[in-house]
Amino acid sequence: QLIIFGGKGGVGKTVCAIATALTLSENFKTLLISTDPAHSVSDCLAQKIGCEVAKVDGTANMWALEVNADKALSDFKTEHRNELKKLFDTSTNLDSDDIDEMLDLSIPGIDEMMSFKTIIDFIEKGEYDKYVVDTAPTGHALRLIASPKLLDDWIKVAARMRWKYRYMVTSFAGSYQQDEVDAFLFGLKKMVKRIQNLLQDKTKCEFIPVCIPEAMAIMEMESLLASLGLSI
């Protein structure tokens, strides 16, 4: 269902991903997703793709998308701004202006998280049969695959912050009623679990390393596969 291409820059990941998507589209409704900030899918297809799903010219069952992580993050903040504000308001000593300023900041490593969230959102909608992902060079691919753990770590910290708030409310009011922030964190936790299950399911997800027969490319590929617990 999900095929991820990764490897060193300049080895042909995009070409391999597009060729695979084109072949799959002969029998399956296929979505090609680029998570590389320096997108080259449009150039390879000789067609403007961009951050909205576009039908690939000359195909019957292939669509493509170049993920804009900044836009994905902005949409996420817009959708959940109230929950995020309440989380910080009830769990920190920040005032309203400080919270707004914090929410407007970018977050290190968020690009990969938002890219993977975009992929999962499409998979959960179930509008396509196959999803082919063209990643940026090695480091980005590793961060993309590790993003569920990073998000899970963030959720754990947020949950501990909420636990302190819950303890205080229960101490003074005698009981605690779950609110939209709890539901938001629980929803994120379920999403992370779904991503992890998908990545670990060999019947649904495949990682395809792309390499060329040059010493530097081979060494980087060995490092990449070792980081993923694999070997050549």
Side-chain angles (χ1 to χ4, degrees):
Q1 186 180 22
L2 174 63
I3 303 172
I4 303 171
F5 285 85
K8 187 179 182 298
V11 297
K13 295 185 302 297
T14 300
V15 173
C16 290
I18 291 176
T20 300
L22 283 169
T23 302
L24 287 172
S25 70
E26 295 175 2
N27 297 297
F28 302 97
K29 188 176 181 181
T30 303
L31 178 63
L32 172 68
I33 303 173
S34 170
T35 63
D36 187 346
H39 300 293
S40 54
V41 166
S42 291
D43 295 332
C44 287
L45 292 173
Q47 174 187 345
K48 178 63 178 176
I49 299 301
C51 61
E52 299 294 335
V53 174
K55 180 73 179 298
V56 176
D57 296 339
T59 69
N61 284 308
M62 180 174 166
W63 285 258
L65 167 74
E66 293 176 330
V67 174
N68 184 326
D70 289 337
K71 182 179 183 300
L73 176 58
S74 177
D75 292 343
F76 177 78
K77 286 180 177 179
T78 298
E79 181 181 359
H80 298 291
R81 193 173 188 87
N82 289 338
E83 293 95 327
L84 290 168
K85 286 191 71 171
K86 187 169 183 178
L87 170 64
F88 289 118
D89 184 46
T90 57
S91 307
T92 70
N93 293 322
L94 298 174
D95 60 30
S96 181
D97 290 339
D98 291 333
I99 293 172
D100 285 333
E101 186 175 352
M102 176 175 286
L103 291 177
D104 289 335
L105 293 174
S106 183
I107 304 172
I110 199 69
D111 287 5
E112 289 79 16
M113 256 183 248
M114 289 298 103
S115 293
F116 222 126
K117 182 181 183 301
T118 299
I119 294 169
I120 294 302
D121 286 345
F122 274 108
I123 292 176
E124 292 191 337
K125 288 177 183 176
E127 296 177 0
Y128 303 89
D129 302 313
K130 303 291 183 180
Y131 302 83
V132 179
V133 180
D134 172 37
T135 67
T138 304
H140 174 93
L142 285 175
R143 291 194 299 272
L144 181 74
I145 294 172
S147 62
K149 183 181 184 307
L150 294 175
L151 182 55
D152 192 47
D153 290 341
W154 184 89
I155 295 169
K156 289 177 181 176
V157 172
R160 285 198 296 269
M161 292 165 60
R162 286 295 286 178
W163 183 86
K164 294 177 182 179
Y165 169 71
R166 179 174 182 168
Y167 175 79
M168 292 297 294
V169 171
T170 303
S171 297
F172 286 98
S175 63
Y176 176 81
Q177 185 71 34
Q178 290 193 345
D179 59 16
E180 64 272 25
V181 178
D182 298 305
F184 167 66
L185 293 176
F186 183 65
L188 284 181
K189 184 68 175 179
K190 288 199 299 182
M191 183 187 75
V192 169
K193 189 65 176 176
R194 287 194 297 269
I195 294 173
Q196 291 174 332
N197 289 340
L198 177 62
L199 288 175
Q200 294 168 4
D201 189 340
K202 293 182 179 180
T203 67
K204 293 183 178 180
C205 180
E206 181 177 11
F207 179 83
I208 299 180
V210 182
C211 190
I212 55 177
E214 292 182 358
M216 185 177 294
I218 292 172
M219 286 189 290
E220 187 165 321
M221 180 54 63
E222 289 175 337
S223 177
L224 169 62
L225 294 178
S227 297
L228 295 174
L230 305 171
S231 61
I232 293 180

